[in-house]
Amino acid sequence: MEGITEVEGWAEELESVFALLAGRFGRADLRWRMRDYVRGLLAPVGRKNGWQLAEYAGHRDPAGLQHLLNGARWDADAVRDDLREYVGERLGPGGVLIIDDTGFIKKGTTSAGVSRQYRHVRKDRQLPDRSLRGLRHRPWQSPGRPWLYLPKCWTRDRERCREAKIPDERTFATQGELARGLVLRCIAAGLSAAWVTADEAYGQDWSFRRLLEQLDVGYVVAVPKSQQIKSLAGIWRIDQLIEEAPDDAWQRLSCGDGAKGPRVYDWAAAKLPVNIIFDPDPPTHDRWVMARRSLSDPSELAYYLAYAPVGVEIAELAGVAGSRWAVEECFQAAKNQCGLDEYEVRRYVGWYRHITLAMLAHAFLAVLAARAQDTARGAAETTPPASSPSPWQRSGAYWTLSCPTPDPTRTDDSTH
């Protein structure tokens, strides 16, 4: 624990975390093993496997810690809920729910969810595909509820699932279905998430975006350049619309701080027409198309769709879009600092318990970091928009998109 002793009050904070969870472990020996396990995950242990964690805790062998993960009676779902409440209380309100995934390289064929991955890994190694989704509360991040992605090669083989102790009710679910379930669970639990952001894999899913709109949750999600924008007048690709943006529509904004200071890009954003089918009268939210352009390479663009309460500034939308990168930092920190990927269990129950306790350890570190560091954001520099030809029209302080005229010489090869 030498690495965090300089943070004032860390011991009291850790004890408060243990007190929060104490009632989930009915026996005193399990409570102490849980404490030893979490302390080991937080410690400067070379590799956070059973033996090294046991040695750090002063145990003769890893049997006690392995029993905590695999055989002991305690409810990991209840601990997960306590973790979510802890994150919401310490790091909220006004959180950003980031939907993303990560994977762990594992050997063999019996680890829960493991499947063959041929790209970028050796052929004799296995990778559980897209195994976690992430939650970030501004300005500090911590993983949310773990979801193990099960490929069809698993869900079609119920005997294999039973051997790995995967519950019978776990059937195949797509990435989008897992994401929608995560959002519904978080909102139902009262988690204070003002925004959702995600990469193209989720952003291009209309049913995912529509669910967020029905929940009155704002979003800024990445989409591919071939993303279709539909209106009563027709269908256009988002890159075609952005190409029509006048020079004055681009604003130079910081979308958050990076390792070398504010991350500054040029942004173009315009409101879409009101959807008379879904939106109330008057509408409470606006839909936006957005693009981010690199300063060093103007040909490098990223595209977004957004749904935001009426009156939200473009700088805030850019900040939400920029917050998505934090989930990668979150996963990497949880792996490097808390042993998220260093488990030595093959069955689902042990995997789920290890992941839950590792996320708890990382949430604790995130709370300490939030106390210790200045959370001020870099100020954004903007260029006020001016008038422009159709389809980009100035409306008050904002740009809007009227019905554009399709270019008959262009071929729409969109698949989304």
Side-chain angles (χ1 to χ4, degrees), residues 308-332:
V310 171
V312 165
E313 299 290 336
I314 297 173
E316 183 169 1
L317 298 179
V320 175
S323 71
R324 182 171 62 86
W325 295 319
V327 76
E328 292 297 333
E329 301 169 5
C330 171
F331 283 137
Q332 198 58 48

Side-chain angles (χ1 to χ4, degrees), residues 155-174:
T155 57
R156 290 171 177 169
D157 189 344
R158 298 317 303 179
E159 183 59 33
R160 187 186 187 191
C161 288
R162 293 188 184 99
E163 290 177 358
K165 301 300 182 183
I166 296 173
D168 287 340
E169 61 269 20
R170 285 297 311 276
T171 57
F172 177 75
T174 65

Side-chain angles (χ1 to χ4, degrees), residues 180-340:
R180 292 193 292 274
L182 184 150
V183 170
L184 287 171
R185 184 182 291 270
C186 288
I187 298 301
L191 195 67
S192 177
W195 296 94
V196 170
T197 188
D199 64 15
E200 294 180 7
Y202 305 97
Q204 65 185 342
D205 183 351
W206 179 87
S207 58
F208 176 64
R209 301 195 307 271
R210 181 58 189 151
L211 172 66
L212 299 176
E213 294 176 6
Q214 291 173 323
L215 295 172
D216 286 330
V217 176
Y219 62 75
V220 182
V221 292
V223 294
K225 67 180 182 181
S226 57
Q227 178 69 41
Q228 293 180 342
I229 307 299
K230 300 180 181 180
S231 77
L232 295 177
I235 301 174
W236 296 267
R237 286 171 49 127
I238 192 170
D239 60 344
Q240 294 174 352
L241 293 177
I242 295 301
E243 284 180 5
E244 297 288 337
D247 292 341
D248 288 342
W250 291 91
Q251 306 183 47
R252 189 151 296 179
L253 298 169
S254 166
C255 60
D257 290 339
K260 299 180 180 180
R263 298 190 300 264
V264 179
Y265 294 87
D266 286 334
W267 295 80
K271 293 180 183 178
L272 291 169
V274 172
N275 189 313
I276 61 175
I277 298 176
F278 296 132
D279 295 340
D281 185 16
T284 59
H285 289 70
D286 294 315
R287 293 180 184 82
W288 298 76
V289 293
M290 300 176 60
R292 186 194 76 220
R293 187 174 66 191
S294 170
L295 302 186
S296 58
D297 182 3
S299 66
E300 182 182 313
L301 288 95
Y303 303 93
Y304 300 86
L305 293 178
Y307 180 77
V310 171
V312 165
E313 299 290 336
I314 297 173
E316 183 169 1
L317 298 179
V320 175
S323 71
R324 182 171 62 86
W325 295 319
V327 76
E328 292 297 333
E329 301 169 5
C330 171
F331 283 137
Q332 198 58 48
K335 292 176 181 179
N336 293 342
Q337 300 173 15
C338 304
L340 185 72

Side-chain angles (χ1 to χ4, degrees), residues 48-65:
K48 294 172 183 179
N49 55 33
W51 272 107
Q52 293 196 32
L53 292 180
E55 290 176 356
Y56 179 83
H59 297 190
R60 292 185 302 174
D61 56 53
L65 298 183

